[in-house]
Amino acid sequence: MAFLRRYLRSGAGMAGLLIIATIALGAIAAPWLAPRDPLAIAGPALLPPFTDARLPLGTDRLGRDMLAGLIHGARASLAVGLAAMVAALAIGSVVGTVAGFAGGLVDEALMRVTDAFQVVPRFLLALAFVSTLGPSIGTVVIAIALGAWTEPARLVRAQVLSLRERDFVAAARVIGMHPAEIAFREILPNALTPALAIAALIVAAAVLIEAALSFLGLGDPNIVTWGTMIAEGRNLLRTAPALSLLPGLALVITVLGIYLVSEGIGDALERRGRTTP
């Protein structure tokens, strides 16, 4: 509750929360707000926005409803972003905890693996992974998580290195707790805060990478995504700019909202640090 109160005092955080909450509610309510299949033909091709009450944002080059595509595309983007964030935090937390708690050769080996993944740009790693295994939502999520787990791993490791010398860890050893239980039950929950602070940034990066992969034709072909919509409209920028501009604007607003949420989390943690004796 104290963290929530500090977060609510952040103007940037509140603005971001409002943006993301609006987009998330629209994505959740997609079956009611846009009940028609976004991949189905809904009207004449290239219908301009605001010319038909049934199709307020017009149609694309195949006659598909642009509004339905935007709303259902929000579901895909947020689902991929959140799933990739959870996977990246899970992998990073396990690697960072094991490395920090075990130390020695285990720590050295895991950190060298982390370095190897960190050297490769996230998008190139995701591009290579999806190109090899084929486009699907699951593949895209795994590909993004493989490039995003390194920073949480380093943050968790740094916290574990500090926490493993605390009195409560010594007490757990004295009563005979298993090392794995000490690491994951006693230390990890106290080491997660820095990793959780960058969760919003991982989501934002995941949304952008998913859009880029979809733009290149490496997204799931069975769902509508903003990247696919932008790609399909790029050849008609002169005659029908809304085909690319609308999903592009939705992508920009979503990423901006996520970054503002991250700013709010950072502000809340900074206030906590100032008030902690």
Side-chain angles (χ1 to χ4, degrees):
M1 292 300 295
F3 173 81
L4 181 60
R5 287 195 296 270
R6 290 193 298 268
Y7 181 89
L8 294 178
R9 290 200 294 268
S10 170
M14 287 302 297
L17 186 62
L18 180 61
I19 293 171
I20 297 304
T22 302
I23 295 172
L25 287 175
I28 293 170
W32 297 276
L33 295 176
R36 62 167 55 95
D37 183 355
L39 295 174
I41 295 176
L46 298 178
L47 183 69
F50 313 117
T51 57
D52 188 332
R54 296 183 304 108
L55 301 164
L57 295 183
T59 60
D60 64 7
R61 61 186 182 88
L62 296 179
R64 295 172 297 194
D65 187 355
M66 286 292 294
L67 179 60
L70 288 175
I71 294 175
H72 285 269
R75 300 183 83 184
S77 292
L78 292 179
V80 169
L82 291 173
M85 179 267 290
V86 170
L89 287 181
I91 297 171
S93 297
V94 171
V95 173
T97 301
V98 172
F101 189 75
L105 291 177
V106 174
D107 182 22
E108 188 70 18
L110 288 176
M111 286 302 98
R112 296 297 74 76
V113 172
T114 303
D115 290 340
F117 274 89
Q118 203 162 22
V119 166
V120 182
R122 293 184 187 181
F123 177 69
L124 292 182
L125 181 61
L127 182 64
F129 191 85
V130 175
S131 299
T132 302
L133 297 185
S136 70
I137 284 291
T139 304
V140 170
V141 169
I142 295 172
I144 295 172
L146 285 176
W149 66 269
T150 55
E151 192 168 357
R154 289 189 174 281
L155 290 172
V156 170
R157 172 183 175 271
Q159 289 294 106
V160 171
L161 287 173
S162 172
L163 292 170
R164 70 180 185 179
E165 304 301 331
R166 300 285 180 87
D167 291 341
F168 72 92
V169 176
R173 288 195 177 100
V174 169
I175 64 176
M177 289 182 66
H178 192 277
E181 190 176 7
I182 296 174
F184 290 100
R185 183 177 175 181
E186 300 294 330
I187 296 179
L188 179 57
N190 295 293
L192 272 178
T193 300
L196 293 176
I198 64 168
L201 297 179
I202 295 175
V203 175
V207 169
L208 288 174
I209 292 173
E210 185 278 328
L213 291 172
S214 297
F215 181 85
L216 295 175
L218 293 174
D220 192 324
N222 298 314
I223 62 173
V224 175
T225 66
W226 291 337
T228 302
M229 294 175 71
I230 295 171
E232 291 181 349
R234 71 183 186 276
N235 293 326
L236 298 171
L237 280 175
R238 290 181 180 274
T239 56
L243 299 185
S244 289
L245 291 180
L246 289 175
L249 183 62
L251 184 63
V252 169
I253 292 173
T254 300
V255 173
L256 175 62
I258 296 171
Y259 273 112
L260 290 176
V261 168
S262 176
E263 286 288 324
I265 294 173
D267 290 344
L269 292 175
E270 184 180 352
R271 291 192 182 98
R272 176 190 177 188
R274 288 201 299 264
T275 56
T276 300

